[in-house]
Amino acid sequence: SSSENLSDRELEVLQLLGQGFSTRQTAEELHVSVKTVESHYANMKNKLNLKSAHELIQYAIKWTLAEKG
């Protein structure tokens, strides 16, 4: 359950989530629909074995902070 399994696009979404972007803000930033962003969230939860949106957000925040080093 590591971020290495995520696609480049999923990593972009993860980073925005970790920076506090809402689903709508993420959709606007990436020029995609809210539904597309929600699909990315679902795929990331599956790949990372996370149960809830809350867990995904916590993961995203930690990952984003680690990326900044």
Side-chain angles (χ1 to χ4, degrees):
S1 66
S2 108
S3 60
E4 289 165 29
N5 299 329
L6 302 182
S7 70
D8 289 347
R9 182 56 120 185
E10 287 166 345
L11 291 172
E12 283 183 274
V13 172
L14 189 67
Q15 187 169 24
L16 293 173
L17 185 62
Q19 290 171 359
F21 279 61
S22 69
T23 305
R24 181 170 297 288
Q25 287 169 325
T26 298
E28 287 171 4
E29 180 75 15
L30 300 177
H31 308 290
V32 297
S33 71
V34 167
K35 274 208 181 312
T36 299
V37 174
E38 288 171 347
S39 295
H40 288 311
Y41 290 163
N43 292 337
M44 290 189 295
K45 281 193 297 187
N46 283 335
K47 289 183 181 182
L48 298 169
N49 291 317
L50 302 173
K51 306 268 185 292
S52 66
H54 181 70
E55 285 184 9
L56 180 61
I57 291 166
Q58 286 186 315
Y59 182 95
I61 291 168
K62 286 180 190 155
W63 181 85
T64 302
L65 288 172
E67 284 296 298
K68 285 184 177 157

